[in-house]
Amino acid sequence: MTSAIQLPAVVSDLTAKEQAAYLVPTLAALADENRLTIVLSLTDGEKTNTQLQEATGLSQALVSHHVAALRKAGLVDSTPRGRSNLVSICCEQLAAPVQWLAHLATLTPAGQQACCTEATIPASTAVADAD
């Protein structure tokens, strides 16, 4: 028998509407595939815009555009280094939405079970989306 996950509840005196308003800017920024690709590319460390172009296949203009939007949402930092800027993830800004979503996922037995298993992206989904 599997025991229920006991995560601390997300404590807030905000209403559901206020909670949604708090989470929307971060989740909206991550909902764009190019921005999410940039964030995922940064998981192994900071990168220059040129390195992000190579990692994502986006043009310099698109990388700059999406990095600016991610920076505005507080999801990445950009630090001048010589003639380049190094872009890195702001883990603190990502933490709150992840905690809220993890808490929501554990509110049902099925969600609790899903939280205890390794997450994988099915190959058929990845291939189908590429077409």
Side-chain angles (χ1 to χ4, degrees):
M1 176 184 253
T2 317
S3 63
I5 298 172
Q6 297 300 317
L7 289 178
V10 176
V11 179
S12 175
D13 57 353
L14 300 175
T15 65
K17 180 94 172 146
E18 292 167 333
Q19 290 171 19
Y22 168 74
L23 292 170
V24 161
T26 300
L27 296 176
L30 292 172
D32 181 275
E33 184 176 351
N34 291 325
R35 291 182 191 140
L36 184 56
T37 300
I38 289 170
V39 170
L40 292 171
S41 297
L42 294 169
T43 59
D44 59 352
E46 60 191 12
K47 290 184 173 44
T48 64
N49 277 9
T50 301
Q51 290 170 320
L52 286 172
Q53 284 176 249
E54 293 167 2
T56 63
L58 298 173
S59 69
Q60 182 275 327
L62 276 176
V63 167
S64 294
H65 167 77
H66 290 301
V67 166
L70 290 166
R71 196 171 44 245
K72 182 178 179 183
L75 295 171
V76 299
D77 278 329
S78 185
T79 307
R81 179 83 42 93
R83 297 177 73 175
S84 300
N85 288 323
L86 288 177
V87 181
S88 59
I89 295 176
C90 296
C91 292
E92 306 82 35
Q93 187 64 22
L94 285 170
V98 169
Q99 290 169 336
W100 285 69
L101 293 173
H103 172 71
L104 288 174
T106 63
L107 295 179
T108 65
Q112 288 180 3
Q113 184 177 13
C115 284
C116 293
T117 59
E118 186 175 329
T120 59
I121 298 173
S124 60
T125 301
V127 171
D129 290 341
D131 292 337

